[in-house]
Amino acid sequence: AMAAYVPIALKVVGSSSISTRIKVALAWSLVMSRLLYNVSTWSRWNVIMYRQMNAVYMRVWRRIANECRFQRTVRDADVRKFLNIPSLHCIIMRKRLLLLGQVIKSELPIIHALLSMSKDGKKLPWALLIVDDMRELAKFHACKIEELGDPMDNPQAWL
């Protein structure tokens, strides 16, 4: 992702003659597509990985918003709000849920079997991430999906 960002950082992203809307579009297509490639399939996440990805993610957006990453007078959330972009966590969660939708629509029994497998009584890591994503979705959109209930209690309702 940085290999795509560095060549355009000064001349394109830092340019005052290019509109913010075009800079954002270029960032999504040239940088974020690489940074977020296949992120929906990752099953192991830790704080260090997330911080490293978020540092690159926010570096680009701060540059576009003309907010230096070293001067923390403006929070990351304010930069994202100004540019109307979601958080990295939101994007990753959304990509996983979209992948889950594709898996379910595929109707391949082997994929459903793999997702329902467990090892030593524990669900597989990716399946656990999906359940957490569905719980967050339910928490933040309770009025729309209240009737679905907890995904662990009734996963079929979510499918």
Side-chain angles (χ1 to χ4, degrees), residues 67-103:
E67 292 295 338
C68 181
R69 63 190 171 112
F70 300 113
Q71 296 174 347
R72 293 295 180 144
T73 56
V74 177
R75 298 177 312 139
D76 287 351
D78 297 329
V79 171
R80 290 192 311 267
K81 186 175 182 179
F82 171 73
L83 295 173
N84 196 28
I85 58 164
S87 69
L88 180 62
H89 176 72
C90 178
I91 292 171
I92 293 168
M93 186 173 69
R94 181 174 179 224
K95 286 183 172 285
R96 266 196 307 260
L97 290 171
L98 288 170
L99 178 61
L100 176 66
Q102 291 173 350
V103 167

Side-chain angles (χ1 to χ4, degrees), residues 30-45:
L30 299 174
V31 182
M32 298 307 158
S33 61
R34 293 177 185 198
L35 179 67
L36 301 169
Y37 179 75
N38 253 354
V39 74
S40 58
T41 63
W42 298 1
S43 62
R44 303 249 186 244
W45 276 97

Side-chain angles (χ1 to χ4, degrees), residues 7 9 14 19 36 53 58 62 78 91 117 143 154:
S19 75
L36 301 169
M53 278 191 71
M58 287 310 302
R62 281 184 169 279
D78 297 329
I91 292 171
M117 283 179 58
C143 59
N154 187 10

Side-chain angles (χ1 to χ4, degrees), residues 22 25-28 38 43-44 50 54 59 63-64 68 80 87 89 92 107 113 119 138 146-148 150 154 157:
I22 291 174
L26 285 170
W28 279 118
N38 253 354
S43 62
R44 303 249 186 244
Y50 180 79
N54 196 54
R59 181 177 183 173
R63 178 71 177 195
I64 291 172
C68 181
R80 290 192 311 267
S87 69
H89 176 72
I92 293 168
E107 297 184 9
K119 181 180 177 184
E146 187 175 82
E147 65 273 4
L148 295 178
D150 190 312
N154 187 10

